Amino acid sequence: MIGISFYLNDRDAKQRLVEASECGVTRAFTSLHIPEEKGDLAERAKELLHVARDCGISVYADVSKHTPVHLGIESLMTLSSLGVSGIRLDDGFSVEETILLADEFYIALNASTVSKLEIEALLSAGLHHHQLLAWHNFYPRPETGLEETFFQQQTDLFNELRIPVCAYIPGEGEKRGPIYQGLPTREKDRNKCPFTSAVDLYGCGVTEVYIGDPYASSNLLKRLVQYQENRIIPLRIRSPHIQGTYSVRPDVSRDVLRLVDTRSVKPVLPFHNL
């Protein structure tokens, strides 16, 4: 699945949710772990959660034990009625509290830091695979994103345990402050084309890819949804002879994508033959 991220201090968040929904996006991440955000921003959180719910977008949120106070709600359980489907718990929650919350929400484990022993302890305590997600961090500061081998080891660990894995790619154009350097999980994706990074993450065993930055163009979202649904990669090429939908040859080359059924019996006129 492909998802976006929205943030309470983004004045365009409502519009971004609506546009993402129109492109076929059905997932979103936000942070409700907001110790410094009160007053109008608390109402803003409720407003945006209602917008997401009305757009058919399932929201997964960072939360802490202080979240109910800051949002003016009775308990974390109330988030379910506001449209939150899954929660990523901050430190301070006991195993018993986690199990209780898992009856209402998907529980997102920190895929970038949790060890196999910690996961097995949660499973032994009564949590089930279908109640869990493995959610990698994003890394705002350049050079702090995950190294590829470590990322793959962590991702493989959760796949072996049949727990879906989520990871982030940067957005296009506008980046989130205060550093404005993109929000990738892997450092290698910080300055890459987001679409290319998403395709690569899917190939690494990631189940859900989220755009960490607040902005993603409709064009990018539509291409990502198209790839998610049909595994189609749009290619821009300069040729009047090759257009349409093609398959890649089964014998994978190192440096090129070789397409099947591109030969033509029509004459190819000379062009730019210096």
Side-chain angles (χ1 to χ4, degrees):
M1 303 295 289
I2 184 69
I4 63 166
S5 299
F6 66 92
Y7 301 99
L8 305 188
N9 57 1
D10 177 12
R11 63 183 180 181
D12 297 320
K14 180 178 178 180
Q15 178 184 345
R16 299 190 207 276
L17 283 166
V18 173
E19 291 177 352
S21 174
E22 292 172 349
C23 293
V25 173
T26 60
R27 298 281 194 278
F29 164 81
T30 193
S31 178
L32 300 178
H33 175 34
I34 47 176
E36 74 286 358
E37 297 178 354
K38 301 178 182 178
D40 291 343
L41 285 176
E43 290 304 313
R44 175 72 165 164
K46 295 179 184 179
E47 176 192 13
L48 293 176
L49 289 173
H50 281 301
V51 170
R53 183 183 59 189
D54 293 343
C55 288
I57 293 178
S58 298
V59 176
Y60 297 80
D62 269 343
V63 299
S64 73
K65 286 193 171 184
H66 301 292
T67 296
V69 174
H70 292 302
L71 294 185
I73 58 178
E74 184 178 348
S75 69
L76 288 176
M77 290 294 189
T78 308
L79 293 175
S80 178
S81 64
L82 295 177
V84 175
S85 300
I87 55 178
R88 183 170 167 175
L89 303 178
D90 188 34
D91 294 335
F93 288 89
S94 67
V95 173
E96 292 75 17
E97 289 171 323
T98 302
I99 293 173
L100 183 63
L101 289 167
D103 290 334
E104 190 69 36
F105 305 98
Y106 288 105
I107 301 298
L109 306 177
N110 191 329
S112 302
T113 61
V114 172
S115 69
K116 185 175 183 178
L117 287 176
E118 290 172 312
I119 303 165
E120 290 175 340
L122 289 172
L123 293 173
S124 298
L127 283 173
H128 301 285
H129 302 86
H130 67 270
Q131 297 174 301
L132 299 173
L133 297 170
W135 207 296
H136 279 289
N137 291 334
F138 57 52
Y139 294 90
R141 187 175 296 280
E143 302 178 349
T144 63
L146 296 185
E147 186 268 338
E148 296 159 56
T149 301
F150 174 79
F151 168 84
Q152 193 63 62
Q153 289 171 346
Q154 289 293 104
T155 299
D156 290 345
L157 167 62
F158 285 97
N159 280 325
E160 289 169 7
L161 294 170
R162 295 170 295 147
I163 298 173
V165 180
C166 310
Y168 293 95
I169 57 174
E172 295 178 315
E174 176 188 348
K175 300 294 192 295
R176 188 188 183 205
I179 300 178
Y180 302 101
Q181 293 292 324
L183 298 174
T185 290
R186 302 182 303 182
E187 187 60 35
K188 67 176 286 187
D189 296 321
R190 190 173 302 279
N191 296 307
K192 277 178 61 175
C193 165
F195 180 84
T196 303
S197 296
V199 172
D200 189 42
L201 285 173
Y202 283 127
C204 292
V206 171
T207 307
E208 299 188 14
V209 174
Y210 286 77
I211 299 169
D213 290 297
Y215 176 73
S217 68
S218 296
N219 178 265
L220 173 62
L221 292 176
K222 288 176 181 177
R223 284 187 293 152
L224 288 169
V225 170
Q226 183 184 46
Y227 181 79
Q228 164 197 305
E229 294 177 347
N230 302 305
R231 289 300 187 260
I232 292 176
I233 299 177
L235 299 176
R236 295 187 301 274
I237 58 175
R238 294 189 182 96
S239 171
H241 305 287
I242 300 178
Q243 56 184 329
T245 303
Y246 293 87
S247 298
V248 179
R249 284 175 56 121
D251 46 343
V252 180
S253 302
R254 189 194 70 171
D255 298 326
V256 295
L257 294 174
R258 303 183 66 194
L259 306 182
V260 179
D261 298 328
T262 60
R263 294 180 181 178
S264 173
V265 296
K266 298 178 182 179
V268 179
L269 299 177
F271 173 73
H272 197 60
N273 50 340
L274 298 178

